[in-house]
């Protein structure tokens, strides 16, 4: 019987190979587990120092827990110097440091640290205008590729200094950790300067800060900060500190002037009275949103929603704002005037800025100029685009200008600011139109095209109501264009057309006779009482030629008297030079029939009788009086040479500019 031996299975060979490899791997793991990593401490110190060009030292012990994708590194005592150009000697100096580092990105020279924990650290961060940063790990500290990516950072207590002189930032922060503080155990205090303004801040947060970590839950943050005259309180959560992404917070903001936020946040807002605002703040990627805004702007309430989008090359601001009640005292800063004393002191907890009264008192030439001379900020006009709508449901404290309500669409595009449409309710009528400021030019080109419709003169000039007048409704227009970097500068060289018209109404005869200097009628009315006469028509039209307002048709026609006004006003010098010539239609004694001279400045107008005409009539009265006192009255007898003005012609002349310069300026103003 023949026996056969079965061959050994080929699989056993592979099993043996696998066993060998497994044994080698186990031996490798054992070697790595028992490897004296601290023996590499000195070589590692030399290697990092040579690669970065600055001293790096693990002062006591090094330990590494090596994994497939990352390594957990523990340093007992670490000192990493800053570059020689930095103010602080150390980038980081800590009692202990522990961090996870990704292994595969190291092959391409990238340093990715998902988690970093520091015990009692001292951090010195600094950046320069040329791009150098102390936290760039290469010898070329302006190389973006040498900046490590840090996800989560954990600290217990310590200090941090951050300096960026070209940005006006110099901050010192201190941290303290106390687990009894609940979900926000880390307390911080900051002092120094931000955007060249003094800054103080304090707050709390979780001890694990997300610098660049993705997919992690947001961490809580609470802050109370003051920079200059601006105060911010906020409480909420933040997803990433490096980009301030994923913000969800409730905020309270107050300060002297919303315009100050440009220096702090880069948002070009208008100059305002002191303010206090609250709302919900959110940030996703490059989009900031302030929802449910509510608060005060001086004496006015304000509310609405705003968005600030930084994703484009030129950031844009958009939103809708409204006021239930807007106070007229809050409009001054918008055109370059200081706030009134009421507005300056309207917000509790905000130091009041200098009021318009205090500013005038401090000036040596107090009262000499009245047109606003605050210059345009071209940097702000070009810093962003905007599309914001504002509506005021009711306007109060109107005093001389009885505004009822108003709305405006504010657009800013490539340095061109437009208020279009602009619609104001004034004296039961409307003032509507558009204003355009082209900040792409220097000086800026400014155009204003405004229409007046149906204003009640009795409301527009409240003081005459005591004389029982019932003027008709006023219509008019303002079409001006020119160049300037302030309201005063623009008006000082503007050209165009200014006109106002009104029709029939009732006019106080007593007031009329005072204007006509008719002494007999005044005495008669004092004995018999006042009565009203009919206003047939009135027109006020000016040609504006390079800052000079020349009277084109200024006529007031009543059943008693025709008043004709001639002269000019200089918008650049702010001077007046007008002559008012009354022509009574009735016969009266004691009428001086003397032209009234209106001169002086906008701030201090002066009125008086024309000296030559008055002297002639006075001399005649004295000569006749020497013969017989009764004959002196003959020189004051008015024989009534005045005739009715042609109202149709008066209104027609008021409708069209006469000079070529004025017509061209008006036409340009209407091309918004």
């Amino acid at each position: 019987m023949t026996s056969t031996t079965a061959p050994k299975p080929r699989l056993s060979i592979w099993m043996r190979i696998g066993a060998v490899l497994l044994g080698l791997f186990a031996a490798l793991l054992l070697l790595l587990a028992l490897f004296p990593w601290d023996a590499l401490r000195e070589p590692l110190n030399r290697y990092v120092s040579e690669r970065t060009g600055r001293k790096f030292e693990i002062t006591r012990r090094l330990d590494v827990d090596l994994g497939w994708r990352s390594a957990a590194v523990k340093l007992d005592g670490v000192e990493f110097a800053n570059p020689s150009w930095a103010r602080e000697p150390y980038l980081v100096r800590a009692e202990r440091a522990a961090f996870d580092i990704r292994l595969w990105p190291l092959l391409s020279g990238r340093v990715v640290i998902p988690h970093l924990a520091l015990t009692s650290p001292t951090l010195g961060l600094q950046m320069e205008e040329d791009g150098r940063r102390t936290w760039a790990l290469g010898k070329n500290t302006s190389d973006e590729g040498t900046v490590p990516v840090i996800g989560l950072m954990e600290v217990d207590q310590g200090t941090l200094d951050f300096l960026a002189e070209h940005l006006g930032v110099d901050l010192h922060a201190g941290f303290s950790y106390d687990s009894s503080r609940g979900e926000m155990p880390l307390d911080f205090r900051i002092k120094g300067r931000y955007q060249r303004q003094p800054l103080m801040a304090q707050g709390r947060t979780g001890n694990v800060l997300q610098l660049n970590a993705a997919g992690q839950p947001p961490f809580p943050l609470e802050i109370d900060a003051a920079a200059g005259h601006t105060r911010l309180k906020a409480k909420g959560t933040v997803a990433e500190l490096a980009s301030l992404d994923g913000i969800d917070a409730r905020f309270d903001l107050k300060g002297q002037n919303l315009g100050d936020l440009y220096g702090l946040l880069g948002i070009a807002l208008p100059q305002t009275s002191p303010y206090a605002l609250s709302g919900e703040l959110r940030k996703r990627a490059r989009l900031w949103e302030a929802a449910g805004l509510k608060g005060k702007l001086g004496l006015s309430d304000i509310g609405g929603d705003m968005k600030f989008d930084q994703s484009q090359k030129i950031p844009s601001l958009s939103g809708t704002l409204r006021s239930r009640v807007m106070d007229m005292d809050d409009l001054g800063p918008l055109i370059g005037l200081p706030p009134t004393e009421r507005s300056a002191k309207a917000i509790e907890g905000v130091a009041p800025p200098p009021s318009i009264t205090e500013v005038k008192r401090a000036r040596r030439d107090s009262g000499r100029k009245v047109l606003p001379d605050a210059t345009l900020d071209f940097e702000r006009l070009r810093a962003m685009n905007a599309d914001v709508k504002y509506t005021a449901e009711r306007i109060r404290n109107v005093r001389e200008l009885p505004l009822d309500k108003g709305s405006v669409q504010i657009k800013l595009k490539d340095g061109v600011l437009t208020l279009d449409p602009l619609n104001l309710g004034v004296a039961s009528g409307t003032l509507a139109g558009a204003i355009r400021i082209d900040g792409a030019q220097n000086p800026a080109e400014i155009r204003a095209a405004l229409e007046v419709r149906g204003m009640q003169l009795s409301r527009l000039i409240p003081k005459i109501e005591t004389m029982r007048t019932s003027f008709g409704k006023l219509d008019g227009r303002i079409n001006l264009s020119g160049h300037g970097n302030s309201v005063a500068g623009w008006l000082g060289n503007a050209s165009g057309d200014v006109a106002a018209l009104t029709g029939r109404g009732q006019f106080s005869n007593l007031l009329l006779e005072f204007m006509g200097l008719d002494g007999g009628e005044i005495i008669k009315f004092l004995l018999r009482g006042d009565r009203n006469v009919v206003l047939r028509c009135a027109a006020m039209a000016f040609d504006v030629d390079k800052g000079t307002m020349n009277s084109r048709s200024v006529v007031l026609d009543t059943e008693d008297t025709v008043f004709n006004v001639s002269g000019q006003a200089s918008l650049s010098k702010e001077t007046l030079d007008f002559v008012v010539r009354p022509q009574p239609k009735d016969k009266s004694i004691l009428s001086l029939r003397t032209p009234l001279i209106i001169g002086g400045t906008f701030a201090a107008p002066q009125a008086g009788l024309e000296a030559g005409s008055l002297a002639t009539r006075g001399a005649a009265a004295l000569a006749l009086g020497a013969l017989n006192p009764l004959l002196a009255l003959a020189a004051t007898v008015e024989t009534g040479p005045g005739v009715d003005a042609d109202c149709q012609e008066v209104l027609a002349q008021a409708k069209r500019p006469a000079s070529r310069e004025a017509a061209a300026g008006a036409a340009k103003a209407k091309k918004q």
Side-chain angles (χ1 to χ4, degrees):
M1 183 174 182
T2 302
S3 63
T4 59
T5 303
K8 294 181 179 180
R10 297 177 62 185
L11 184 61
S12 62
I13 296 175
W14 294 109
M15 291 180 65
R16 290 177 182 179
I17 294 174
V20 171
L21 293 176
L22 184 61
L24 290 174
F25 181 69
L28 180 62
L29 290 179
L30 182 61
L31 177 63
L32 293 175
L34 300 177
F35 186 82
W37 292 100
D38 193 55
L40 298 178
R41 179 160 51 92
E42 290 302 325
L44 184 61
N45 288 345
R46 290 193 296 272
Y47 175 78
V48 175
S49 297
E50 291 173 0
R51 288 294 301 269
T52 60
R54 40 185 155 146
K55 183 180 179 182
F56 173 82
E57 184 177 7
I58 305 168
T59 59
R60 291 188 291 273
R61 182 173 177 78
L62 166 67
D63 193 13
V64 179
D65 185 4
L66 197 61
W68 283 106
R69 300 175 59 188
S70 64
V73 182
K74 298 178 182 178
L75 311 177
D76 189 7
V78 62
E79 295 179 355
F80 193 8
N82 262 325
S84 58
W85 49 264
R87 179 178 66 181
E88 297 298 319
Y90 292 101
L91 172 65
V92 58
R93 188 178 188 183
E95 287 294 315
R96 284 176 296 279
F99 58 91
D100 298 329
I101 185 168
R102 295 283 171 83
L103 298 178
W104 300 113
L106 290 174
L107 299 177
S108 60
R110 295 175 60 239
V111 179
V112 179
I113 301 175
H115 180 266
L116 171 64
L118 300 172
T119 301
S120 300
T122 298
L123 304 172
L125 307 180
Q126 185 171 333
M127 64 185 299
E128 296 295 303
E129 189 172 9
D130 58 12
R132 291 178 294 165
R133 288 149 295 180
T134 58
W135 57 92
L137 300 183
K139 289 184 179 181
N140 181 4
T141 54
S142 61
D143 182 3
E144 188 69 31
T146 63
V147 176
V149 177
I150 301 176
L152 303 177
M153 186 172 74
E154 183 177 355
V155 297
D156 58 355
Q157 60 184 7
T159 62
L160 179 148
D161 281 276
F162 179 71
L163 176 64
E165 286 187 320
H166 63 290
L167 299 176
V169 179
D170 186 357
L171 302 176
H172 176 82
F175 306 92
S176 66
Y177 180 83
D178 187 345
S179 59
S180 66
R181 298 182 183 132
E183 68 170 358
M184 291 190 284
L186 189 65
D187 181 273
F188 63 87
R189 294 179 180 273
I190 303 173
K191 64 179 179 179
R193 299 187 69 81
Y194 179 74
Q195 297 293 344
R196 299 175 178 84
Q197 295 190 50
L199 171 73
M200 295 194 68
Q202 61 182 6
R204 299 184 301 154
T205 184
N207 66 317
V208 178
L209 310 180
Q210 292 168 205
L211 302 185
N212 288 294
Q216 300 287 337
F219 65 94
L221 179 66
E222 183 178 292
I223 188 170
D224 183 350
H229 294 291
T230 303
R231 181 79 176 267
L232 169 68
K233 290 184 179 181
K235 184 176 183 180
T237 58
V238 181
E240 294 186 6
L241 273 180
S243 61
L244 286 179
D245 197 14
I247 294 177
D248 279 288
R250 178 77 186 175
F251 74 92
D252 291 281
L253 182 69
K254 60 173 60 177
Q256 281 191 351
N257 189 336
L258 277 175
D260 293 342
L261 295 183
Y262 177 69
L264 296 173
L265 303 176
I267 305 176
L269 296 176
Q271 304 299 312
T272 68
S273 299
Y275 65 92
L277 297 172
S278 63
E280 299 288 338
L281 181 66
R282 295 189 295 268
K283 182 176 186 287
R284 299 294 183 270
R286 304 278 288 170
L287 178 64
W288 294 80
E289 295 181 85
L293 285 173
K294 185 179 180 181
K296 293 179 64 180
L297 203 61
L299 297 156
S300 307
D301 70 273
I302 190 87
D305 301 284
M306 300 292 292
K307 294 181 180 180
F308 187 58
D309 188 353
Q310 296 177 299
S311 61
Q312 305 297 320
K313 182 179 180 181
I314 300 178
S316 63
L317 179 72
S318 61
T320 302
L321 297 174
R322 59 189 174 275
S323 294
R324 291 188 300 273
V325 180
M326 191 272 285
D327 195 290
M328 278 291 293
D329 276 10
D330 299 323
L331 293 183
L334 294 176
I335 58 172
L337 298 174
T340 65
E341 186 174 356
R342 296 172 65 245
S343 288
K345 298 178 178 179
I347 304 301
E348 185 178 353
V350 175
S355 68
I356 188 168
T357 302
E358 293 170 332
V359 170
K360 285 184 176 181
R361 189 182 300 127
R363 292 177 178 173
R364 292 183 178 181
D365 60 343
S366 175
R368 177 172 292 181
K369 296 287 186 179
V370 299
L371 295 178
D373 58 2
T375 58
L376 289 172
D377 191 327
F378 287 92
E379 180 183 351
R380 297 191 186 205
L381 283 176
R382 299 162 185 168
M384 71 178 197
N385 295 327
D387 188 351
V388 178
K389 184 176 182 180
Y390 172 73
T391 302
E393 297 175 7
R394 185 166 67 87
I395 301 176
R396 70 181 178 195
N397 187 35
V398 293
R399 295 195 297 273
E400 290 84 2
L401 187 62
L403 286 168
D404 303 314
K405 57 184 178 180
S407 65
V408 62
Q409 184 88 17
I410 304 167
K411 296 180 181 179
L412 178 60
K413 179 72 172 178
D414 299 330
V416 179
L417 176 66
T418 59
L419 308 182
D420 185 11
L422 172 65
N423 198 316
L424 301 176
V426 185
S428 302
T430 61
L431 173 65
I435 297 174
R436 183 180 187 272
I437 301 173
D438 186 352
Q441 305 181 42
N442 190 0
E445 182 191 51
I446 305 177
R447 306 175 189 174
L450 302 171
E451 295 285 336
V452 176
R453 289 288 179 268
M455 288 188 190
Q456 291 185 0
L457 281 172
S458 57
R459 288 196 62 204
L460 196 63
I461 314 173
K463 292 180 181 179
I464 65 175
E465 288 183 346
T466 58
M467 295 189 176
R468 298 190 301 279
T469 61
S470 59
F471 279 122
K473 293 183 178 181
L474 179 71
D475 295 324
R477 65 181 178 273
I478 299 173
N479 293 316
L480 294 174
S481 63
H483 289 79
N485 292 338
S486 66
V487 173
W490 166 57
L491 290 175
N493 67 64
S495 296
D497 172 37
V498 175
L501 315 170
T502 186
R504 297 180 69 85
Q506 294 289 318
F507 198 99
S508 167
N509 208 346
L510 181 57
L511 176 62
L512 183 67
E513 301 301 337
F514 269 111
M515 292 175 62
L517 305 178
D518 196 330
E521 294 294 328
I522 294 171
I523 295 174
K524 179 176 65 177
F525 290 144
L526 290 177
L527 296 176
R528 300 183 187 177
D530 191 10
R531 65 181 179 84
N532 281 5
V533 296
V534 174
L535 170 68
R536 299 182 67 249
C537 62
M540 179 183 70
F542 294 91
D543 282 353
V544 185
D545 293 346
K546 296 181 180 179
T548 300
M549 295 180 63
N550 296 302
S551 60
R552 180 169 76 242
S553 176
V554 182
V555 178
L556 179 69
D557 185 14
T558 75
E559 63 181 9
D560 279 9
T561 307
V562 177
F563 296 91
N564 289 284
V565 182
S566 61
Q568 63 183 24
S570 172
L571 297 175
S572 58
K573 299 177 182 178
E574 297 191 16
T575 57
L576 301 168
D577 185 12
F578 290 101
V579 178
V580 182
R581 292 183 172 84
Q583 294 181 319
K585 299 176 183 179
D586 58 348
K587 296 182 179 180
S588 171
I589 63 170
L590 301 181
S591 176
L592 295 178
R593 287 185 297 173
T594 302
L596 180 67
I597 302 298
I598 299 177
T601 66
F602 292 1
Q606 299 174 354
L609 300 178
E610 188 176 69
S613 177
L614 181 62
T616 300
R617 304 195 69 161
L622 288 174
L624 293 172
L627 301 176
N628 188 327
L630 293 177
L631 293 179
L633 291 176
T636 67
V637 172
E638 175 59 64
T639 58
V643 296
D644 289 346
D646 184 344
C647 284
Q648 293 300 320
E649 179 61 25
V650 167
L651 299 182
Q653 289 179 7
K655 287 180 180 179
R656 57 181 182 272
S659 76
R660 179 178 301 177
E661 184 75 27
K668 191 173 185 179
K670 289 184 281 188
K671 291 180 181 180
Q672 295 291 328

